[in-house]
Amino acid sequence: MGQGRAESAPVATHQISGSVTAPAAFLRFEAVEKRYGPVVAVGDVSLDIAQGSFTALVGASGSGKSTLLKMVNRLAEPTSGRVLLAGEDVTGLPAPALRRRIGYVFQSIGLFPHMDVARNIGIGPRIAGASLDEARITELLEMVELDGSYSDRMPSELSGGQRQRIGVARALAGDPELLLMDEPFGALDPVTRDALGKRVRGLHQKLGLTSVMVTHDMAEALLLADRVLVMDAGHIVADETPGSLLEGAGGDVAQELVAVPRNQARQLAKLAP
């Protein structure tokens, strides 16, 4: 049976400014740029993400957040600069080996329609030459609050929320060091979206993951993340905690995004009996 990472796993540190100790970067972007011809999708981003953190990348459509995420697992290659995972340049690693270290959840889910749930969950380890026994499949299903009876169902027999839960279980099947999520809950109804978001946040803590989530929904970022990075026109324009954003920090672009859930909350308060 697979072993999750301990919640209390120590975080590596390094010395800065003499005696001050700070977390060493687990995921690092060094002057990363991605161009598509004359179009700059991501421009000169330098960023450190600490091990064990839950970071949200937020921004309008076309801001560059998904492109930045995809350069981590080499679904997109930097035009210049470097992406380092645990100190290793990802472009120097074979893509299949790199992706075995990374769980990836995306909005379109991407379950194979001709495979049952058990085979979909186990596809990554199977490609790597391993296999998951029934007990491990059941364990992964239970992590996303489904039971073992789902293992022989086909994707067409599942609801959208159930398929996305299978997508999360598949991402966790290889005991990844890093969990990347690209609009993972965007296609779900609000109730399912809220429940699955809370479940993923709980798994992040239980398994000791380092998680990076792309979302256009600032409310989702504020509720789930420890740190919120706001992107605009390919650049990070704000790097704040949820609390500091709610207190007005981060600049105009960030506060325009924060205004949406804040205004919704005010309107709901007016409707309350």
Side-chain angles (χ1 to χ4, degrees):
M1 190 171 295
Q3 297 294 320
R5 289 171 179 78
E7 292 183 59
S8 58
V11 177
T13 61
H14 67 284
Q15 297 293 323
I16 58 174
S17 301
S19 61
V20 179
T21 300
F26 179 67
L27 178 61
R28 170 169 286 174
F29 298 85
E30 294 183 346
V32 171
E33 183 174 88
K34 179 62 177 178
R35 288 178 173 268
Y36 294 98
V39 177
V40 180
V42 173
D44 194 25
V45 168
S46 292
L47 171 69
D48 286 355
I49 293 176
Q51 188 172 20
S53 63
F54 193 122
T55 302
L57 283 168
V58 182
S61 178
S63 61
K65 55 191 187 298
S66 290
T67 302
L68 187 65
L69 192 80
K70 289 175 180 177
M71 285 190 281
V72 178
N73 64 356
R74 296 185 61 193
L75 291 177
E77 301 281 2
T79 304
S80 61
R82 299 195 305 166
V83 181
L84 306 176
L85 178 60
E88 296 181 273
D89 187 337
V90 299
T91 59
L93 301 171
L98 171 68
R99 291 169 188 160
R100 286 197 291 270
R101 299 167 59 182
I102 300 172
Y104 188 51
V105 184
F106 44 99
Q107 182 176 340
S108 59
I109 307 169
L111 298 184
F112 294 100
H114 61 290
M115 294 183 182
D116 64 19
V117 164
R119 292 184 69 202
N120 264 288
I121 290 175
I123 186 67
R126 188 161 60 251
I127 290 172
S131 61
L132 303 183
D133 60 21
E134 183 178 344
R136 177 59 173 160
I137 294 292
T138 298
E139 179 186 36
L140 288 161
L141 286 169
E142 290 174 349
M143 283 185 186
V144 295
E145 299 180 327
L146 297 172
D147 61 51
S149 67
Y150 283 84
S151 63
D152 59 358
R153 297 191 189 185
M154 302 301 289
S156 61
E157 300 174 308
L158 306 175
S159 69
Q162 289 167 342
R163 288 195 297 272
Q164 194 61 293
R165 287 173 187 270
I166 300 304
V168 173
R170 179 178 61 185
L172 298 175
D175 290 325
E177 302 172 56
L178 177 66
L179 180 63
L180 303 179
M181 296 173 283
D182 193 355
E183 299 282 5
F185 317 124
L188 304 178
D189 65 85
V191 173
T192 303
R193 180 176 186 152
D194 183 60
L196 188 52
K198 289 177 180 176
R199 186 58 180 164
V200 167
R201 174 68 209 205
L203 288 168
H204 163 83
Q205 293 179 225
K206 178 181 178 181
L207 301 176
L209 296 168
T210 301
S211 301
V212 183
M213 177 181 71
V214 162
T215 179
H216 67 275
D217 187 336
M218 179 58 89
E220 188 169 78
L222 293 171
L223 288 168
L224 298 180
D226 309 312
R227 178 186 184 190
V228 180
L229 304 172
V230 179
M231 293 195 70
D232 183 51
H235 298 275
I236 293 173
V237 297
D239 180 355
E240 303 288 345
T241 65
S244 65
L245 285 170
L246 290 171
E247 291 172 358
D252 291 345
V253 174
Q255 286 305 308
E256 286 174 8
L257 294 169
V258 172
V260 176
R262 183 178 279 135
N263 290 339
Q264 289 174 334
R266 287 171 180 163
Q267 291 170 25
L268 289 170
K270 291 178 182 178
L271 295 174

